[in-house]
Amino acid sequence: VDGSANGTGTTLYAGTTSIPTFLSQGTYYLYDTTRGPDYIRTLSANGQNTLPGSYVTDADNNFSASNQRIAVSAHTGAVQVFDYFKGTHGRSSYDGNNASITSTVSYDDVPGGDGYNNAFWNGQQMVYGDGDGRTFSPLVELDIVAHELTHAVTGASAGLIYQNESGALNEAVSDIFAVMVDRDDYRVGEESYTPGTSGDALRYLDDPPAGDQPDHYADRYVGSQDNGGVHINSGIANKQAYLMMAGGTFRGQSVQSVGRGVTEKVWYRALTRYFTASTNFAGAREGTLQAAADLYGAGSSQARAVADAWAAVGVG
Ligand SMILES: CCC(=O)Oc1c(C)cccc1C(=O)O
Ligand SMILES: [Ca+2]
Ligand SMILES: [Zn+2]
């Protein structure tokens, strides 16, 4: 039955006789068994910090209460991200083997304190805070969901170590696929970041400095904060992917646009076939160049755009 609170056509569990024994009949759940995995499901921590929390249910499948809408947003996002990796890249769930997906919303690292301004993949599931209402509203918008589930894809493929340059690439891969799934702009977190300020975002692939990130290798952060700047230096690879998508002349280097379709194919193939746990920016250039050569030919305009975009951000 469609999740009527969001009307996205996501099949939510209807209270039927064929449901798993632990779900009660005549009650509606955010529990999808229609796409391959045993389940794609969304629960709530109800402001506490125990996982996975409890099922979000409704008597008539109209998930319209505010806590229900938060859960529906995370749930429909997870389903849309599943459909994206399956439809665009032929990948069945984050591990390529139809792993079930669990999301928990309204998680709070300090129960009773301010809402949690964070969202994360904990190695087994996705977890979303409700935000404190100032820095973030609930962090369940589509590009954040895509960012988190892409951490799971990375963990099940290249396994990019979450520190220094490999960690910045890990972050960039999550931002890149966030904007591929939430194809509305080149920004991440624009709906839930600073609800009191319109027009801003958490990060900007078109202009990383707008999010206090470098957009050139020469400006990379080399300190130890943020696991060696994983959310800082990701701006360098984010800018490279933006230049592939949109083209332009940056710091004197012209890049021909190849669009989102080529960019997502090149980055997905590099991530799943060439990147390893220790891949750095130089290695990412090699991997994306090889992926473009595989897909379009070494001398293709697509491979040229990959090289030019890396040159523009000071890599290679
Ligand atoms: C775009 C989503 C995002 O960046 O989530 C995080 C937040 C809000 C804080 C700390 C880490 C993360 C993350 O997933 O990297
Ligand atoms: Ca967006
Ligand atoms: Zn991340």
Side-chain angles (χ1 to χ4, degrees), residues 297-311:
S300 64
S301 61
Q302 293 90 340
R304 158 52 57 81
V306 172
D308 289 346
W310 282 116

Side-chain angles (χ1 to χ4, degrees), residues 79-165:
V79 169
Q80 272 181 259
V81 179
F82 177 91
D83 289 349
Y84 167 79
F85 279 105
K86 178 87 175 181
T88 304
H89 304 294
R91 188 183 190 90
S92 300
S93 197
Y94 59 85
D95 68 343
N97 193 27
N98 269 325
S100 286
I101 296 170
T102 295
S103 305
T104 298
V105 296
S106 302
Y107 174 90
D108 203 337
D109 63 331
V110 180
D114 260 345
Y116 193 36
N117 289 324
N118 200 322
F120 57 99
W121 167 259
N122 74 354
Q124 281 78 40
Q125 67 161 96
M126 287 178 294
V127 186
Y128 302 96
D130 279 345
D132 62 8
R134 294 181 297 280
T135 303
F136 281 104
S137 56
L139 290 90
V140 291
E141 65 177 281
L142 179 59
D143 53 25
I144 294 181
V145 173
H147 178 104
E148 301 313 334
L149 195 49
T150 300
H151 276 311
V153 172
T154 297
S157 53
L160 288 161
I161 296 163
Y162 205 61
Q163 65 176 12
N164 304 330
E165 290 196 14

Side-chain angles (χ1 to χ4, degrees), residues 14 31 57 61 103 238 271 310:
Y31 194 99
T57 63
N61 196 30
S103 305
N238 283 357
L271 173 70
W310 282 116

